[in-house]
Amino acid sequence: MSQQPTPALNLDNIQGDILSGLPKKTQTYFFFQITDVKLFRSQLSHLVPLIKTTSQVLKDRKAIQDHKKKGNKTLLTMVGVNIAFSHKGFAAIGIDDTTLTNTEPSFAQGQKQNAQSLGDKGTGGGPTFVPDWKPEFLQDIHAVILISGDSHETVSKKFDEVKGIFGIGSGHQRNSVSIKEVTTIRGDVRPGEESGHEHFGFLDGISNPSVIGFDKNPNPGPKPVRAGVLVTGHDGDLGSVNTPRPAWAVDGSYLTFRYLFQQVPEFNKFLADNPIPLPGLTPKEGSELLGARLVGRWKSGAPVDLSPFQDDPELAKDPQRVNNFRFQAEGTFQKMCPFAAHIRKTNPRADLEDFSNISIEKNRIARRGVQFGPELTQDENNSNKTEHARGLLFACYSTSIENGFAFLQRQWANVASFPPQANAAGVQAGLDPIIGQGVRTLVGTDPNTPATNLALPDFVIARGGEYFFSPSIKGLKETLSTA
């Protein structure tokens, strides 16, 4: 899929991670509080020239493509910086973000206050609820700087430069300090053949939406979305219908960050203990089928909707086919794909668009996450218990948190009666088996006994997060920073 924007999108004004994703083998998230407002806004003007735009990302991706075509196996030295602010961050520096909060209560509240509604575990309830998060994410976070690149060395060098602008880090005492670090987290693309796969082993990031006016000749699959689903101030941005965005808030996007820990040895043990007993399958193959039916794809990325009972790596490699399915044949049965499979829960396709004539355009998100933590150790494989923290630094962009991430989690992943086709089949689908929170059961894992419930332990545990907004380059230059 080539990317050729129309004049309606000013790609020099949109931060690079939103529409195309910053190219990365490693990525550092630097979360901080602003301690000296006047100084920070002045210093921010020196960060702006380092911010990588979407047009620059397209040039980077073209350079990578040309480099590979020449047969080069090495990585190009490449780095990209983006920045985003929470509502508390905008409030701290005196920016009126009313047009960002008036339709987005989650952004106004912040994710810590919002966590119970997402199903995160914690203590207390209502206004006294405290999520079971890492202590650093229980603090206020004003902003995050993302630094992506080809290597730790490249990213570390740029990170030092960024910290120097704000007077922190060794050797930067010449600048006064305007910020305080809350935490820094590094994510890394997994090595070798696992590159592109999340820690449970499944190929990830396959079904991001193509964008009208940006993606030229998209591959077959879900309907392309209008630019305003991902970029504020454009057609499809429902938050700007009644109240137009101010200039500084046009060409931006909400960024949802989630710090998700994965119980990989326990997941593998669960699959091994519960193989699907289809005739002709070995226990190992039955376990692989269970994993595929929980996710909705085989580890290769091949969808079970097209290859229901065995993996098809060639299908997975074919961009014309790997996303070209709709769950259309499964209106009231689950022979090919369970109603509650992860990719069906989070992108229901025909379940709503065809059978209920409900558009899901406003619910689409652009995912930009990266894995963190080491590969499994032999001790973990032997004990079937997690000893080292690993998981996903989940990040996604959209012009609405309420219609995007929060809706997908609260109304789809966490609701046992979704999708509605399950009710027509006389069953409750159950929760999303990967990210669903609540009473974790689902039906449909065994195609021969599709009404049988399977109880699941927690495989993914949220330990932090926040909602941010990534402003435009113009907004950073003319409104947020001062000379």
Side-chain angles (χ1 to χ4, degrees), residues 2-6 8-23 48-63 78-83 211-215 227 230-232 234 250-253 366 368 397 470-474 476:
S2 60
Q3 293 171 327
Q4 186 61 48
T6 68
L9 288 169
N10 180 1
L11 302 188
D12 292 322
N13 197 38
I14 301 170
Q15 293 198 55
D17 204 37
I18 297 170
L19 283 174
S20 188
L22 295 169
V48 175
L50 303 185
I51 301 297
K52 182 148 286 188
T53 67
T54 300
S55 60
Q56 290 171 326
V57 167
L58 294 184
K59 290 176 183 177
D60 284 350
R61 292 201 175 278
K62 178 65 164 55
M78 195 168 286
V79 69
V81 177
N82 275 192
I83 189 170
V211 178
I212 298 168
F214 181 70
D215 294 302
L230 300 183
V231 183
T232 52
H234 293 269
V250 170
D251 286 345
S253 193
R368 303 287 183 240
Y397 292 94
S470 298
S472 67
I473 304 301
K474 182 178 180 181
L476 288 167

Side-chain angles (χ1 to χ4, degrees), residues 212-353:
I212 298 168
F214 181 70
D215 294 302
K216 186 180 180 182
N217 300 323
N219 294 314
K223 298 174 184 176
V225 302
R226 290 172 291 171
V229 173
L230 300 183
V231 183
T232 52
H234 293 269
D235 183 31
D237 174 16
L238 301 182
S240 64
V241 171
N242 295 322
T243 306
R245 309 277 189 191
W248 71 268
V250 170
D251 286 345
S253 193
Y254 293 97
L255 165 62
T256 295
F257 175 83
R258 295 276 281 170
Y259 197 14
L260 301 179
F261 285 62
Q262 293 175 248
Q263 303 294 99
V264 181
E266 292 83 353
F267 179 80
N268 292 341
K269 180 68 161 54
F270 183 85
L271 298 186
D273 288 347
N274 296 276
I276 296 176
L278 289 190
L281 294 186
T282 66
K284 182 176 184 295
E285 291 168 337
S287 295
E288 291 171 353
L289 177 59
L290 174 60
R293 291 179 71 80
L294 294 179
V295 173
R297 291 187 189 269
W298 296 88
K299 288 187 176 182
S300 69
V304 298
D305 192 48
L306 300 180
S307 186
F309 304 120
Q310 63 181 19
D311 196 0
D312 187 344
E314 292 307 310
L315 165 61
K317 294 175 186 176
D318 185 351
Q320 295 293 310
R321 295 192 294 154
V322 71
N323 244 349
N324 194 16
F325 64 93
R326 298 188 51 72
F327 311 121
Q328 205 161 22
E330 295 113 293
T332 56
F333 76 100
Q334 318 179 72
K335 190 77 172 178
M336 292 188 288
C337 182
F339 294 124
H342 174 61
I343 68 165
R344 192 169 181 177
K345 277 278 197 178
T346 55
N347 188 7
R349 306 185 191 216
D351 284 329
L352 291 184
E353 293 179 322

Side-chain angles (χ1 to χ4, degrees), residues 150-183:
D150 63 290
S151 68
H152 295 158
E153 181 181 4
T154 302
V155 169
S156 293
K157 183 178 179 181
K158 182 61 67 172
F159 191 19
D160 284 343
E161 182 181 357
V162 168
K163 288 188 289 187
I165 291 171
F166 301 103
I168 63 175
S170 59
H172 298 300
Q173 287 76 17
R174 64 186 181 279
N175 289 341
S176 297
V177 176
S178 67
I179 63 176
K180 175 186 175 184
E181 177 182 1
V182 174
T183 189

Side-chain angles (χ1 to χ4, degrees), residues 401-414:
I401 298 165
E402 303 306 323
N403 290 328
F405 163 76
F407 188 90
L408 268 63
Q409 185 70 54
R410 295 173 187 149
Q411 302 300 323
W412 290 353
N414 291 356

Side-chain angles (χ1 to χ4, degrees), residues 112-123:
K112 179 176 62 175
Q113 186 175 339
N114 191 250
Q116 188 175 20
S117 73
L118 299 175
D120 289 6
K121 292 177 172 58
T123 57

